[in-house]
Amino acid sequence: MLRSPFIILLLLLNQQANGFVPAPRRKNIPSLLSESKSILDNILDKATSNNELTDKLLMDPLVDMTTDADDAPSSWSYAEFAQTYPNVNNIGIATIKTASADLLAQVAIAHTPVSDIDWERAFLFCAFGAVYLGAFQYWYQVNIFKKVFDVDKFTSQSWGDKLKDTEGLKSLFAQTALDLTVLTFIYLPTFYVFKAGVFSGSADPSVWLSSGLDSYTTNFSKDEFDLVRVWAPADMICFSVPLYLRLPVRHVVSFVWTAYLSFARGGH
């Protein structure tokens, strides 16, 4: 018996749903009815499955793009990088920050045309930022302070608990006093010696030292007044945050301070 157009249509739909073409053969009416019922059930199953997938895609358009957490590549995180490589992170920030602050002071504050930027001065601040503010400052404010003071316990507390921690607050004031001492007797002289090394025109380190210390002595009163009123409150905050964020937070204040130092003391 020849198949009806309806049965042929159902067979074609079934072939498309299952991805194969059955070999043609003749069937009687009961067989055709049974086959028609099977084909319809198959088509309904496929439609139901497709509807479920459609509903999922409507609820979450990225459902077919997600992967397991173990298979997905981990995204880069600055917080993880800062905790894993704190020294490298600090040197990079210090170098870029100090050079940028000087360029800001030259162009935005002193209104120097870009074509007339003093690149020797820019190099001075770039080198000073990498060596002192990056490497040395990390060594003493993290490594040394961590050995002298119990910084981990205090910095890991909430701000409310910090205010109740009497011993932690004593340690905070001690760190601030020590840092102001280092800034006064190491930071400022080092800056002026670096400046002399760049601007003196001499290759003799003794000339840099002599010239730098003369400038340090001459400007001491004004520099010390500005240093204390900026860094005393700033240190109270810097030494209260988690240890790996200590210097990155400090660099925020240091950017403004360096721009001022560049404008006031950075020229020839």
Side-chain angles (χ1 to χ4, degrees), residues 64-220:
D64 60 338
M65 299 175 63
T66 58
T67 57
D68 293 336
D70 294 337
D71 297 332
S74 57
S75 58
W76 185 86
S77 168
Y78 172 74
E80 291 180 1
F81 173 80
Q83 293 183 59
T84 306
Y85 306 102
N87 198 11
V88 174
N89 176 61
N90 181 64
I91 292 174
I93 292 175
T95 304
I96 296 171
K97 175 251 333 186
T98 312
S100 301
D102 171 64
L103 292 175
L104 175 69
Q106 291 196 54
V107 175
I109 300 177
H111 304 292
T112 302
V114 176
S115 58
D116 295 333
I117 288 176
D118 188 342
W119 292 109
E120 285 187 342
R121 171 174 159 180
F123 174 76
L124 158 67
F125 280 91
C126 187
F128 182 68
V131 175
Y132 184 93
L133 300 178
F136 176 75
Q137 188 170 249
Y138 179 87
W139 172 75
Y140 92 84
Q141 285 200 0
V142 175
N143 294 344
I144 299 300
F145 276 32
K146 193 173 181 179
K147 293 179 180 179
V148 177
F149 306 101
D150 184 12
V151 297
D152 288 325
K153 178 184 175 182
F154 183 76
T155 58
S156 62
Q157 299 179 90
S158 66
W159 287 100
D161 291 336
K162 286 184 174 76
L163 294 175
K164 301 174 185 177
D165 187 351
T166 304
E167 293 301 319
L169 290 173
K170 289 180 181 178
S171 175
L172 175 61
F173 287 120
Q175 290 178 73
T176 301
L178 180 55
D179 185 54
L180 291 175
T181 301
V182 172
L183 287 171
T184 299
F185 298 108
I186 298 179
Y187 168 79
L188 286 175
T190 302
F191 167 74
Y192 283 112
V193 170
F194 261 83
K195 179 181 176 181
V198 173
F199 292 146
S200 67
S202 172
D204 186 356
S206 64
V207 174
W208 308 346
L209 184 63
S210 175
S211 177
L213 291 179
D214 284 344
S215 298
Y216 166 69
T217 304
T218 302
N219 299 318
F220 179 80

Side-chain angles (χ1 to χ4, degrees), residues 43-64:
I43 293 172
L44 288 173
D45 288 342
K46 294 288 183 181
T48 303
S49 175
N50 288 337
N51 286 338
E52 290 176 355
L53 178 59
T54 302
D55 291 341
K56 270 184 161 185
L57 289 171
L58 289 174
M59 294 299 294
D60 183 2
L62 301 179
V63 66
D64 60 338

